[in-house]
Amino acid sequence: NMDLFFHDVGMEGAKRDFPKTVFGLVSINDISKCFPEDLQGDILSKLNDSFPSGFCNCWGVPSGAASVIKRLSVGDAVLLIRTTGGQGDIPALCVVKAYWKVELLELSRFLWGSDRFPYIFFFNKIYHKK
């Protein structure tokens, strides 16, 4: 049973961060160094199973959205919207392949230079337009 989520990212954040992890791939090897030690084994084996290429896409959501993001499950789809105002287009549709309901602060800092996006889900993007 797939649920559909929308995340209105905003123009500035989209311009700054989409190229890094939505349009661009991240190496599971690189990001694994940022996982909390107690979760490292579980996260690493799940990511390697879900992404045999060793690369994935990911996106992080602020803690303020915790109530929504806590309902997110593997198999759900997330539409990343640049903005809902005027020129609101949807550059990416992501089907979640892996997600842990914990704050991955260090990973957020590594990926986007800020710990403001700690709820991170992992996917292969199936649609995008720049």
Side-chain angles (χ1 to χ4, degrees), residues 82-104:
R82 240 184 285 259
T83 173
T84 46
Q87 297 297 307
D89 66 330
I90 301 173
L93 166 62
C94 324
V95 176
V96 178
K97 281 196 161 186
Y99 174 59
W100 290 264
K101 296 176 189 195
V102 295
E103 296 198 324
L104 300 170

Side-chain angles (χ1 to χ4, degrees), residues 35 37-48 99-100:
F35 297 140
E37 239 166 81
D38 56 329
L39 288 173
Q40 202 155 21
D42 178 47
I43 292 182
L44 205 47
S45 70
K46 179 86 172 91
L47 289 180
N48 283 321
Y99 174 59
W100 290 264

Side-chain angles (χ1 to χ4, degrees), residues 25-126:
L25 291 167
V26 293
S27 152
I28 290 168
N29 237 2
D30 289 351
I31 62 176
S32 69
K33 300 177 180 88
C34 302
F35 297 140
E37 239 166 81
D38 56 329
L39 288 173
Q40 202 155 21
D42 178 47
I43 292 182
L44 205 47
S45 70
K46 179 86 172 91
L47 289 180
N48 283 321
D49 286 351
S50 302
F51 307 100
S53 69
F55 292 87
C56 63
N57 301 97
C58 58
W59 189 247
V61 176
S63 336
S67 60
V68 175
I69 204 76
K70 288 228 158 80
R71 299 201 317 263
L72 188 69
S73 304
V74 169
D76 287 346
V78 180
L79 293 169
L80 296 179
I81 303 171
R82 240 184 285 259
T83 173
T84 46
Q87 297 297 307
D89 66 330
I90 301 173
L93 166 62
C94 324
V95 176
V96 178
K97 281 196 161 186
Y99 174 59
W100 290 264
K101 296 176 189 195
V102 295
E103 296 198 324
L104 300 170
L105 295 163
E106 196 185 330
L107 183 55
S108 174
R109 276 193 295 273
F110 172 75
L111 291 169
W112 303 293
S114 161
D115 59 12
R116 285 184 47 230
F117 314 103
Y119 289 100
I120 298 170
F121 55 90
F122 302 85
F123 58 93
N124 284 330
K125 68 174 178 308
I126 54 173

